[in-house]
Amino acid sequence: MRKPCLLFAGLLGVAATLPACGGGGPKSPPAETDDDFPMPLASGRSPTPPMGWNSWNKFACNITDMFVRQIAQAIVDSGMKDAGYQYVNIDDCWSLAARDASGNLQADPVHFPNGIAPVADFVHSLGLKLGLYGDRGTETCGHRAGSQGYEMQDAMTMASWGVDYLKYDNCPDPGPNPGPIIEPSYETMRMQLDAAEQVVGHNIVFSVCAWSFYEWANRLGQLQRTTTDIKNTWVPDPNSTDAGSIITSVKTNLPLAAYGGPNHWNDPDMLEVGNSDNGAGTVTDVEYQSHFALWAIAAAPLIAGNDLRNMSATTKAILTNKEIVAINQDAFGLQGVQVKQVGEQSVWAKPLNGNGERAVVLLNEAAEAAPVTFRFDEIGLRGGAATVRDLQAQMDEGTFTDSFTALVSSHGTVTVKVVGSEPPRPRGMAYLSDLTPIYAANGLGPVERDTTNGSSDPGDGKPITIRGTPFMKGLGLSAPSAIIYRLGQKCTSFSAQVGVDDSSTGGVGTVRFQVIVDGEVLFDSQNLDGTMPAMPVNVDLTGKRRLKLLVTNADDGSSLDRASWADAKVECDP
Ligand code: GLA
């Protein structure tokens, strides 16, 4: 076997490959080509994560008509539009605290003397879309008029101005356990936007900004904030009580991966890339490159937050790297997950919309450069040969056997596309816990094979037990979880016994199991709690390509419910 290649991720993908790397290696068995890639793009308001720009992170309330036009023009002139950025989003402070005599929202006449409609017209004339900010409460976080009680009027006002995207905020602070209190106001606004869309004839993306994940937000919004506000710092500032940072956002967002997907993207908040340009902050270009790569692989909305009129060449190169943008916008629509963590180094992966294609980000959070390795079966491929392309450097690295290693700089990432072979299809009677899934998202550490999900470490579970009945085989998880297997159109049935595992603290917790086959929900347990016996599942798989096992938290507010797909198996052709 050839030695793995070492690639040094220096500043921004200026990657030096060692001379001895690349080359051949033993060939894998022939790939089975019955997966029918590429899959078509989903329909809907946001089939891929929204891309654009927002005023808040850098400019806060310093926004004017002229400034927004300059930014829109800069999106075109800088190549951002060409790279896929589309929304020009005006955040808080565009409006007055008071409504007019008819109860209408009013733009601040000093900053937007002609109102919002002409700004929208200008943005549209450039082939871009306009986003605006609103709030579910009596006032916005910046003390401007909120939409509470005015939802119908405000939705119609904004739609008639030409607004294509509404970020809907959560002030005044709703206090502890706010989910059930704030849900109805977000629900009302989505309904009113639906109605306004019918009148004006264009879509309005709803960005739910409720500072934390809620299942209802996932249903209502095309994107939903999973975190408190990001800050322009790599890790939290030790001298501040504010825990916000790039790393905080991406890690808070990670366990929710099973919920992300077309038209309901998890949003770890807007980008800070470039906001330390010209000495304005402490984040390095290497860290910004990592920030962007992690948002890309997490299928997070790519909403830039810097001064696009005045970007460094490096910032522009990060934001407009089309090969990294492509992994974010991939039509398979999966949120990448951390597939491996060893000390301060981790490997993040997601399947792409092509046979045997995976995107992989190697992250090094340590203070020193370190080698990071992944095996191809750890990213849901079979072992053997695969090609690797460095997406930061936009350079092919060659063909590798079984694994790939790169030296990753401190706080850096190496972002690669791997093209190998999908795992073999199941044959005969096969337990899922003996197969390689192409994707496995889990609320806490890895999905476990034949044990419960203990804590975050691999292999830390106990025997699977549901209401006292033990099971030798199965998959142990913590909701939310999504696991995908390929079937190769050669299987006939899936069966399992499902329930909250006895290992869930005292059997508490409520979850919902769904079996989704080629995009169609073929089994739905509805809510199961820890008092209910294992529920049998039997699903016909004849002629199907992909089996997705989804377990959600059933809106009960408690995350990390331990649950098991006990005895999970498929019957397939020999
Ligand atoms: C909240 C949001 C931010 C921003 C500000 C504006 O903090 O989370 O993204 O919109 O309000 O006041």
Side-chain angles (χ1 to χ4, degrees):
M1 199 180 80
R2 238 182 154 81
K3 267 181 89 176
C5 176
L6 272 187
L7 176 113
F8 179 67
L11 185 67
L12 285 177
V14 186
T17 359
L18 297 183
C21 89
K27 291 258 180 304
S28 311
E32 293 151 12
T33 52
D34 50 3
D35 270 292
D36 202 28
F37 286 107
M39 288 172 275
L41 192 63
S43 56
R45 296 185 184 97
S46 196
T48 62
M51 293 177 68
W53 173 90
N54 174 293
S55 51
W56 184 256
N57 280 357
K58 167 102 182 151
F59 297 96
C61 291
N62 298 318
I63 49 174
T64 62
D65 173 312
M66 184 56 74
F67 164 71
V68 175
R69 288 174 197 247
Q70 286 172 1
I71 290 286
Q73 190 63 54
I75 291 182
V76 176
D77 297 346
S78 63
M80 297 271 292
K81 181 186 177 201
D82 188 43
Y85 295 83
Q86 172 176 215
Y87 293 102
V88 180
N89 293 350
I90 306 174
D91 208 276
D92 204 354
C93 302
W94 64 269
S95 57
L96 291 180
R99 291 171 177 271
D100 73 11
S102 313
N104 294 314
L105 286 173
Q106 314 183 77
D108 178 336
V110 176
H111 293 207
F112 293 90
N114 304 308
I116 297 298
V119 183
D121 290 346
F122 178 75
V123 166
H124 291 151
S125 76
L126 298 178
L128 301 171
K129 295 186 172 178
L130 188 86
L132 205 56
Y133 167 98
D135 191 283
R136 58 136 194 101
T138 47
E139 61 172 32
T140 73
C141 301
H143 309 296
R144 315 300 160 113
S147 289
Q148 187 177 309
Y150 292 88
E151 289 88 352
M152 192 200 301
Q153 191 170 354
D154 292 355
M156 211 36 240
T157 301
M158 291 191 273
S160 65
W161 288 343
V163 169
D164 305 290
Y165 178 121
L166 174 64
K167 172 176 168 182
Y168 208 45
D169 209 352
N170 192 24
C171 275
D173 191 332
N177 193 21
I181 303 165
I182 62 177
E183 174 181 357
S185 28
Y186 284 92
E187 187 112 38
T188 305
M189 187 45 112
R190 179 66 262 181
M191 274 169 45
Q192 296 304 340
L193 292 174
D194 289 353
E197 280 181 343
Q198 297 303 313
V199 177
V200 297
H202 66 258
N203 282 346
I204 303 176
V205 163
F206 192 37
S207 161
V208 174
C209 178
W211 311 336
S212 180
F213 176 86
Y214 300 102
E215 279 193 357
W216 53 261
N218 184 255
R219 270 197 305 278
L220 296 174
Q222 282 65 65
L223 59 161
Q224 62 283 331
R225 266 278 284 281
T226 54
T227 64
T228 53
D229 289 13
I230 196 169
K231 289 281 166 302
N232 183 34
T233 161
W234 175 245
V235 290
D237 176 353
N239 300 317
S240 161
T241 52
D242 191 330
S245 74
I246 293 165
I247 285 292
T248 310
S249 278
V250 76
K251 290 195 176 170
T252 309
N253 193 56
L254 167 63
L256 299 160
Y259 284 111
N263 301 304
H264 47 90
W265 305 101
N266 285 326
D267 173 16
D269 208 356
M270 305 168 294
L271 297 169
E272 292 283 5
V273 175
N275 282 339
S276 293
D277 280 7
N278 307 315
T282 58
V283 184
T284 66
D285 286 340
V286 167
E287 290 165 341
Y288 280 143
Q289 176 70 72
S290 299
H291 177 14
F292 193 69
L294 289 165
W295 261 240
I297 200 155
L302 297 179
I303 308 291
N306 59 316
D307 187 349
L308 303 180
R309 302 165 305 177
N310 186 19
M311 286 189 272
S312 72
T314 304
T315 293
K316 186 155 103 180
I318 292 171
L319 291 171
T320 58
N321 181 320
K322 288 185 184 172
E323 297 195 26
I324 295 187
V325 167
I327 67 175
N328 177 265
Q329 296 288 301
D330 184 81
F332 205 161
L334 292 167
Q335 177 172 332
V337 292
Q338 191 176 292
V339 295
K340 179 177 185 179
Q341 171 154 34
V342 180
E344 292 183 284
Q345 289 80 40
S346 55
V347 178
W348 303 58
K350 81 171 202 162
L352 299 173
N353 190 17
N355 207 348
E357 295 185 3
R358 303 287 184 273
V360 185
V361 171
L362 312 181
L363 168 68
N364 177 18
E365 293 176 68
E368 305 292 334
V372 183
T373 297
F374 64 90
R375 292 195 322 268
F376 298 154
D377 61 358
E378 289 171 330
I379 57 165
L381 291 174
R382 64 174 95 184
T387 62
V388 176
R389 179 171 173 82
D390 179 343
L391 303 183
Q392 270 156 234
Q394 306 199 344
M395 202 171 76
D396 289 335
E397 291 300 325
T399 302
F400 298 83
T401 304
D402 293 333
S403 69
F404 178 77
T405 300
L407 185 65
V408 187
S409 55
S410 166
H411 298 184
T413 42
V414 168
T415 303
V416 295
K417 178 171 174 178
V418 180
V419 183
S421 300
E422 296 289 344
R425 70 167 178 86
R427 287 172 189 274
M429 193 283 285
Y431 285 105
L432 295 187
S433 49
D434 296 332
L435 302 176
T436 302
I438 64 173
Y439 177 76
N442 193 42
L444 184 64
V447 172
E448 296 290 355
R449 297 165 186 252
D450 302 329
T451 71
T452 62
N453 187 179
S455 190
S456 50
D457 287 337
D460 61 357
K462 301 197 182 88
I464 291 173
T465 316
I466 301 174
R467 306 299 80 72
T469 305
F471 294 89
M472 295 291 293
K473 302 292 286 180
L475 301 167
L477 56 98
S478 291
S481 167
I483 314 166
I484 303 178
Y485 294 89
R486 72 179 290 257
L487 304 171
Q489 294 176 271
K490 295 283 192 280
C491 297
T492 51
S493 67
F494 165 70
S495 62
Q497 304 274 331
V498 300
V500 172
D501 200 276
D502 291 353
S503 63
S504 213
T505 329
V508 293
T510 308
V511 296
R512 179 173 179 177
F513 290 80
Q514 288 177 313
V515 179
I516 302 167
V517 183
D518 292 354
E520 213 184 322
V521 181
L522 296 187
F523 169 84
D524 187 341
S525 70
Q526 301 298 334
N527 293 358
L528 292 183
D529 69 29
T531 67
M532 296 156 99
M535 180 182 277
V537 184
N538 284 289
V539 171
D540 185 352
L541 299 179
T542 311
K544 302 297 188 186
R545 297 185 166 88
R546 268 171 226 96
L547 170 67
K548 177 172 180 177
L549 306 180
L550 179 68
V551 184
T552 51
N553 291 105
D555 248 353
D556 65 348
S558 69
S559 54
L560 299 181
D561 303 326
R562 305 298 196 280
S564 300
W565 295 93
D567 225 12
K569 53 182 182 292
V570 286
E571 291 282 350
C572 306
D573 289 358

